[in-house]
């Protein structure tokens, strides 16, 4: 059963100010098979005005409806000239002509993914490998001590935990019974592709995702504009406090939030920033085709640590990687 009490470590570590590396955003299964043995113990509906943009997919044997929003063909901004993380290749800013497409209004939820697995008997890669990566705050002190040699070297707040997968997101004793409306996590790019294919859809390209993120605007930093907290309002679920030791939970969530919360941009999308990273269809580079681009940041992102909840920000993981802050949504060509 999901732990009700989350122990937050008060052990001190050095302040983290490096936005370019070391945050663990790019930790991938094939590059994190070696774990730290010497690191310190360190411990994240508002109605849309565009109803005519929606299409619904109603499963005959399910009460669930997957809403997609129509994005018309046009020239959309991709990248930025206001580059924050050089190594991520966030720029330059350019306009790309895109064909019309649909994109899920919400991130794929545990309920959605459960229905898929019941119909298809699909088994995720985390289930096949037998483990996935869990953030330190979701492990009690005893478990952290037992697993101290199974941490990601460059990000020791990530633990490789046997028995962790989308059904058991915080270790083998956890479950999703109270998280059915939260985004599915611990799904690899391959898992996400399989789900979208089952829905006769696909993952969005990076340029499509970014076009949807800005909501038909140019030069927006975030899906809703340039101010992170307009009128002192929390618009997304990101880390509040000092990463990774203290999350003040001012936005209401220490982990993921339900997919329909935090009203977002003028296209009507929810949680394009924060909550969970989202896989895209694209590879990071021609030389690294198994490294796939992910967008949007997650509930673990903080400006001092991983300032990647901006529309132009990007990161990557191998296509078989999974973690407790990585999900997706589907797209479809119009």
């Amino acid at each position: 059963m999901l732990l009700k009490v989350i122990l937050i470590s008060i052990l001190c570590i050095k302040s983290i100010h490096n936005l370019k590396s070391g945050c663990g955003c790019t930790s991938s299964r094939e590059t994190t098979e070696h774990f730290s043995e010497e690191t310190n113990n360190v411990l994240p509906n508002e109605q849309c005005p565009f109803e005519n943009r929606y299409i619904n997919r109603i499963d005959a044997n399910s009460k669930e409806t997957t809403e997609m929003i129509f994005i018309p063909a046009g020239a959309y901004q991709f990248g930025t000239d206001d580059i924050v993380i050089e190594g991520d290749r966030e720029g330059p800013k350019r306009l790309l002509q895109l064909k019309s497409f649909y994109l899920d209004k919400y991130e794929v939820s545990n309920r959605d993914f459960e229905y898929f697995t019941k119909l298809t008997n699909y088994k995720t890669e985390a289930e096949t490998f037998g483990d996935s990566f869990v953030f330190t705050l979701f492990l009690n002190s005893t478990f952290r001590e037992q697993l101290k040699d199974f941490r990601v070297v460059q990000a020791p707040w990530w633990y490789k935990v046997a028995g962790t997968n989308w059904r058991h997101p915080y270790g083998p004793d956890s479950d999703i019974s109270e998280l059915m409306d939260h985004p599915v996590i611990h799904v690899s790019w391959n898992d996400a592709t399989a789900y979208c294919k089952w829905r006769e859809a696909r993952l969005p390209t990076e340029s499509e995702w970014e076009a949807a993120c800005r909501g038909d605007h140019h030069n927006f930093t975030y899906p809703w504009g340039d101010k992170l907290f307009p009128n002192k309002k929390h618009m997304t679920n990101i880390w509040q406090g000092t990463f990774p030791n203290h999350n003040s939970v001012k936005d209401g969530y220490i982990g993921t939030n339900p997919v329909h919360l935090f009203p977002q941009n003028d296209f009507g999308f929810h949680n394009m920033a924060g909550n969970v990273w989202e896989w895209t269809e694209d590879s990071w580079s021609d030389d690294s085709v198994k490294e796939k681009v992910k967008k949007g940041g997650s509930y673990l992102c903080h400006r001092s640590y991983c300032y990647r909840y901006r529309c132009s920000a990007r990161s990557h993981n191998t296509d078989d990687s999974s973690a407790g802050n990585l999900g997706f949504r589907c797209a479809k060509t119009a």
Side-chain angles (χ1 to χ4, degrees):
M1 187 174 182
L2 180 63
L3 294 174
K4 299 294 185 182
V5 179
I6 301 174
L7 300 178
I8 302 178
S9 170
I10 60 173
L11 296 174
C12 294
I13 63 168
K14 294 181 179 180
S15 297
I16 298 171
H17 299 288
N18 186 357
L19 295 174
K20 298 183 179 181
S21 64
C23 72
C25 291
T26 61
S27 297
S28 298
R29 188 172 288 278
E30 71 177 20
T31 59
T32 53
E33 290 302 313
H34 301 289
F35 301 94
S36 173
E37 296 180 357
E38 299 178 354
T39 52
N40 295 326
N41 285 319
V42 294
L43 300 175
N45 184 5
E46 184 169 280
Q47 189 68 25
C48 169
F50 298 102
E51 290 298 329
N52 61 335
R53 293 182 183 274
Y54 295 164
I55 61 170
N56 294 337
R57 171 186 167 274
I58 303 177
D59 296 315
N61 300 312
S62 172
K63 296 180 181 179
E64 295 310 305
T65 300
T66 301
E67 293 180 301
M68 303 189 88
I69 295 176
F70 176 74
I71 307 299
Y76 293 92
Q77 179 182 340
F78 183 62
T80 181
D81 289 331
D82 186 19
I83 295 171
V84 176
I85 307 175
E86 290 280 354
D88 285 354
R89 293 175 258 173
E90 299 176 350
K93 171 186 170 182
R94 59 269 200 202
L95 293 180
L96 297 182
Q97 188 70 36
L98 299 181
K99 296 180 179 179
S100 57
F101 66 98
Y102 292 95
L103 185 67
D104 284 351
K105 178 180 179 181
Y106 308 113
E107 293 157 333
V108 173
S109 70
N110 282 316
R111 180 176 285 105
D112 298 328
F113 201 77
E114 181 182 62
Y115 183 64
F116 160 63
T117 61
K118 284 182 176 179
L119 287 185
T120 63
N121 294 316
Y122 184 83
K123 190 174 183 180
T124 63
E125 292 196 291
E127 291 172 286
T128 300
F129 286 120
D131 55 55
S132 191
F133 294 96
V134 179
F135 187 71
T136 181
L137 288 187
F138 301 110
L139 303 174
N140 63 40
S141 56
T142 300
F143 211 11
R144 287 198 299 268
E145 178 62 25
Q146 292 173 350
L147 297 174
K148 65 181 181 180
D149 293 337
F150 294 88
R151 289 174 288 165
V152 178
V153 174
Q154 68 271 36
W157 41 86
W158 282 111
Y159 288 69
K160 187 178 184 181
V161 182
T164 299
N165 53 59
W166 75 275
R167 298 181 191 275
H168 306 286
Y170 306 118
D173 293 333
S174 65
D175 62 52
I176 57 172
S177 60
E178 298 179 4
L179 302 171
M180 297 306 290
D181 292 326
H182 287 235
V184 64
I185 53 178
H186 299 291
V187 285
S188 69
W189 183 89
N190 296 317
D191 299 328
T193 298
Y195 173 88
C196 291
K197 184 177 181 180
W198 169 74
R199 272 185 47 192
E200 298 182 346
R202 56 176 173 77
L203 288 173
T205 65
E206 182 179 5
S207 55
E208 287 174 337
W209 190 99
E210 199 165 315
C213 184
R214 289 194 177 87
D216 204 22
H217 297 278
H218 290 175
N219 301 317
F220 267 25
T221 303
Y222 310 111
W224 54 86
D226 290 324
K227 293 183 178 180
L228 183 57
F229 302 111
N231 299 317
K232 298 182 179 180
K233 181 179 180 180
H234 289 276
M235 299 296 290
T236 188
N237 176 9
I238 55 177
W239 188 275
Q240 309 291 315
T242 305
F243 188 89
N245 292 325
H246 174 64
N247 189 339
S248 66
V249 200
K250 288 183 178 179
D251 56 18
Y253 295 91
I254 196 166
T256 59
N257 62 262
V259 299
H260 63 279
L261 295 187
F262 292 104
Q264 295 279 308
N265 63 16
D266 287 343
F267 274 156
F269 293 106
H270 290 252
N271 298 291
M272 294 296 285
N275 208 21
V276 293
W277 282 100
E278 298 182 14
W279 288 113
T280 73
E281 187 176 80
D282 296 352
S283 294
W284 185 248
S285 70
D286 292 338
D287 297 328
S288 303
V289 294
K290 286 180 64 63
E291 292 279 346
K292 302 300 183 179
V293 175
K294 59 181 184 178
K295 300 281 285 185
S298 79
Y299 63 89
L300 294 176
C301 284
H302 186 274
R303 189 176 185 122
S304 69
Y305 150 72
C306 179
Y307 186 32
R308 292 184 172 95
Y309 42 85
R310 297 165 291 113
C311 290
S312 60
R314 57 204 302 269
S315 191
H316 57 99
N317 285 89
T318 55
D319 57 10
D320 60 356
S321 295
S322 61
N325 66 341
L326 185 52
F328 69 103
R329 70 181 77 209
C330 298
K332 183 179 291 189
T333 303

